[in-house]
Amino acid sequence: MDELKIFIGGQWRCGGGHQMQSLFPADGSANARLHAASLDDLEEAIACAQEAWRAPAWRNSLPHLRARILHKVADLIESRVDELAKMQSRDNGKPLAEARGLVMSAAGTARYFAAACELLEGELPTPRQADLLTLSQYEPLGVVAAITPWNSPIASEMQKVAPAIAAGNAVILKPAEATPLMALELARIFEQAGLPPGLLSVLPGKGSVIGDALARHPKVRKISFTGSTTTGRHLAHVAAEKLIPASLELGGKSPTIVLEDADIELAARGICHGIFSSGGQACIAGSRLFVHEQVYAPLMARLLELTRGLRLGHPFTEGTHVGPLISDQHRQSVLDYVALAKREGGRVLCGGEIPADPALASGSYFQPTIIEGLSNGARVCQEEIFGPVLVAMPFSDEAELIREANRSVYGLAAGIWTRDTARALRLSEQLEVGTVWINTYKTFSISAPFGGFKESGLGREKGIQGLKVWMQQKSIFLATGNSVNHWCD
Ligand code: NAD
């Protein structure tokens, strides 16, 4: 097996850190071997980045140039969708159909920020004072850090790298330990698209070593992080010490609500997708289900039927709904949560176990699981499991429902299933979450801002302000007359 090179300041070479492996979660086989970045590699990447973003050719580049690079990146991605999707699947076990969706979304993100940087306008604050023209323009921050998790590589990486580059910065990307393949391939694509050397470095390695040193580095002027709330809180402290902006996309425990007038078939299918796609390894997984007691029985019957029909299988097999979890270690933590749910009084209605099928024995597979009989205060309803585990709870009173849906440290997303749009909008306003889906779930648009309330995050990605968060505003005052300042008379 070839040793993968890492991308430091425009050069491909062996990292100076410990040896790491990318493993295929479907069977534990090794995809690639590589050496992590060392602290010296980090220093070099940052020195190159500092030089590259200040180079006049980049600093004074017209948005056209940055847009052209991003469109080329999108073209290159679109010309290799199947190959990149397979690489994504090998990296984290996602079924090919889902991986394809992420690859296409990465291309779309590059195109969106290509357009956004061309359209970005400064401001001319008014009313202006006599004899003064006041301009406010957006400028890049400089060297910025992007730190990403393993669950949706390429898409989550592009969500940071594309706007950071569009805004004129230099980016150091630290991907998750488990998924270095996609991040390194993304670097190759940016290189092929003509991004000048030094503007993107990809430094795989341990979060507590390379990620931490990157965030703390005095030359790094922004931290953009997606990952767990624990790490996010740590990085918020680091950013506060340095007085730099931090944008944090963190964990979730999202409620899905089925009202008494919901279309049961639509709701059951949406809930099933919302929790079990990606094996529940999604920050936005709809993991707490609140169903009005009048429709609890029919909704649960249909949901169980759909869940039992899901095809758990190899990510490369067409038609697989649920692939393996990222690792055996992660699967064990999901299994521990199911055991905890039982101790807390929960009844497992389906799943809850490692599948017995010998064809799945070598991968980190886990059955899609539905539990009932718990109250929302149970630990499995309050802690992020990040696996295919749904807890269902009936409700009868709307005020009580809102209280319970909001009773969580998280506030990432929520779903509402109802035929009453006005009621859905009223409930949406009462939910303390960053995204509400009505009669749909896990649908995205690059133009709609995304981010969390409460401990699910700080700041927003996507949308036009998803570009501005990678910039800082400068106000310029220009005297248009020759009036003498009499202060020192
Ligand atoms: P994680 O916090 O363990 O790791 C995320 C990244 O941070 C990795 O690259 C890791 O190496 C790095 N890291 C770890 N410790 C660090 C430190 N001390 N300093 C700097 N970097 C450090 O999270 P994970 O297990 O990779 O991902 C799963 C989590 O991500 C879940 O909680 C999930 O909800 C969250 N997530 C959130 C979103 C969102 O948009 N809100 C999207 C995807 C995943």
Side-chain angles (χ1 to χ4, degrees):
M1 190 196 330
D2 289 342
E3 160 115 11
L4 273 189
K5 304 273 190 292
I6 67 172
F7 194 52
I8 306 167
Q11 286 180 12
W12 291 95
R13 58 168 210 243
C14 190
H18 69 283
Q19 195 178 65
M20 328 169 29
Q21 279 192 329
S22 151
L23 300 176
F24 187 24
D27 59 16
S29 62
N31 298 318
R33 212 177 41 217
L34 66 154
H35 277 82
S38 65
L39 293 177
D40 286 345
D41 294 333
L42 172 66
E43 280 303 330
E44 194 179 329
I46 288 180
C48 290
Q50 182 78 343
E51 200 175 316
W53 88 270
R54 284 193 166 144
W58 181 247
R59 276 220 77 168
N60 305 330
S61 64
L62 292 175
H64 275 347
L65 173 87
R66 283 172 266 140
R68 201 179 303 130
I69 292 170
L70 288 166
H71 278 302
K72 181 77 185 156
V73 164
D75 291 344
L76 289 167
I77 291 175
E78 284 164 359
S79 69
R80 298 172 56 200
V81 174
D82 285 340
E83 183 202 341
L84 293 171
K86 201 161 183 185
M87 190 182 288
Q88 160 94 268
S89 277
R90 290 206 73 92
D91 225 7
N92 77 352
K94 265 189 203 288
L96 272 182
E98 277 184 42
R100 268 188 217 112
L102 289 175
V103 170
M104 288 305 294
S105 121
T109 300
R111 289 202 194 286
Y112 180 85
F113 285 109
C117 81
E118 296 251 47
L119 293 174
L120 184 72
E121 289 180 348
E123 287 148 27
L124 199 63
T126 49
R128 61 190 174 95
Q129 294 192 33
D131 296 344
L132 269 185
L133 182 64
T134 316
L135 315 167
S136 187
Q137 64 190 39
Y138 289 88
E139 297 190 358
L141 292 162
V143 180
V144 294
I147 303 178
T148 51
W150 46 262
N151 61 321
S152 301
I154 204 165
S156 54
E157 273 131 23
M158 189 65 97
Q159 250 162 255
K160 299 184 189 306
V161 175
I165 292 292
N169 300 287
V171 193
I172 313 286
L173 170 62
K174 210 302 280 172
E177 290 92 314
T179 50
L181 288 190
M182 287 313 295
L184 289 166
E185 196 56 30
L186 196 60
R188 193 157 308 271
I189 290 169
F190 270 93
E191 184 189 34
Q192 285 166 357
L195 184 72
L199 290 168
L200 174 63
S201 286
V202 176
L203 305 183
K206 277 200 166 55
S208 56
V209 180
I210 288 297
D212 195 61
L214 170 62
R216 288 182 191 282
H217 198 286
K219 293 220 162 62
V220 167
R221 303 312 302 156
K222 175 184 168 84
I223 303 167
S224 177
F225 170 78
T226 301
S228 65
T229 294
T230 307
T231 311
R233 186 175 281 113
H234 164 73
L235 291 173
H237 282 286
V238 173
E241 275 299 316
K242 291 175 61 181
L243 291 178
I244 61 168
S247 123
L248 308 171
E249 299 286 353
L250 309 177
K253 195 75 195 176
S254 300
T256 308
I257 297 162
V258 183
L259 299 178
E260 59 273 35
D261 66 346
D263 179 324
I264 296 298
E265 182 63 19
L266 205 68
R269 285 175 177 271
I271 292 160
C272 198
H273 172 250
I275 178 65
F276 297 126
S277 57
S278 301
Q281 301 168 116
C283 52
I284 46 174
S287 50
R288 289 185 295 149
L289 175 61
F290 296 94
V291 187
H292 194 280
E293 59 183 11
Q294 282 175 21
V295 290
Y296 189 80
L299 185 279
M300 291 304 290
R302 184 63 183 131
L303 182 59
L304 280 165
E305 191 180 8
L306 288 169
T307 305
R308 291 193 179 111
L310 292 177
R311 285 183 294 276
L312 188 62
H314 195 282
F316 292 171
T317 305
E318 240 7 273
T320 289
H321 293 111
V322 183
L325 300 184
I326 185 74
S327 65
D328 287 353
Q329 192 191 0
H330 183 52
R331 177 173 66 176
Q332 186 56 49
S333 89
V334 175
L335 200 54
D336 292 346
Y337 269 114
V338 174
L340 173 66
K342 289 181 191 160
R343 288 201 301 282
E344 288 184 308
R347 288 184 300 281
V348 176
L349 301 179
C350 71
E353 290 175 5
I354 293 171
D357 182 351
L360 304 179
S362 52
S364 315
Y365 293 91
F366 195 76
Q367 293 173 334
T369 302
I370 301 180
I371 298 170
E372 68 172 7
L374 290 171
S375 77
N376 185 42
R379 269 183 62 196
V380 284
C381 294
Q382 292 296 315
E383 296 175 20
E384 187 184 39
I385 299 175
F386 218 59
V389 180
L390 175 70
V391 180
M393 293 165 275
F395 74 89
S396 55
D397 175 67
E398 188 177 300
E400 176 69 7
L401 160 76
I402 291 293
R403 255 196 312 280
E404 289 305 318
N406 286 337
R407 185 146 73 99
S408 169
V409 295
Y410 297 112
L412 195 56
I416 303 174
W417 299 88
T418 177
R419 289 185 170 92
D420 184 340
T421 318
R423 189 177 173 200
L425 284 174
R426 188 162 40 80
L427 292 183
S428 302
E429 284 170 9
Q430 296 173 65
L431 290 166
E432 295 163 358
V433 297
T435 297
V436 180
W437 284 292
I438 301 169
N439 294 329
T440 180
Y441 202 87
K442 250 188 166 184
T443 41
F444 284 113
S445 158
I446 183 63
S447 56
F450 178 78
F453 281 24
K454 302 196 278 187
E455 293 187 21
S456 286
L458 263 187
R460 296 290 177 270
E461 289 188 335
K462 306 185 178 179
I464 292 294
Q465 72 269 41
L467 177 64
K468 291 182 178 170
V469 295
W470 294 93
M471 307 186 93
Q472 50 197 339
Q473 260 180 302
K474 177 183 284 174
S475 294
I476 300 174
F477 294 81
L478 170 71
T480 52
N482 289 319
S483 42
V484 173
N485 188 322
H486 292 288
W487 182 80
C488 44
D489 285 353

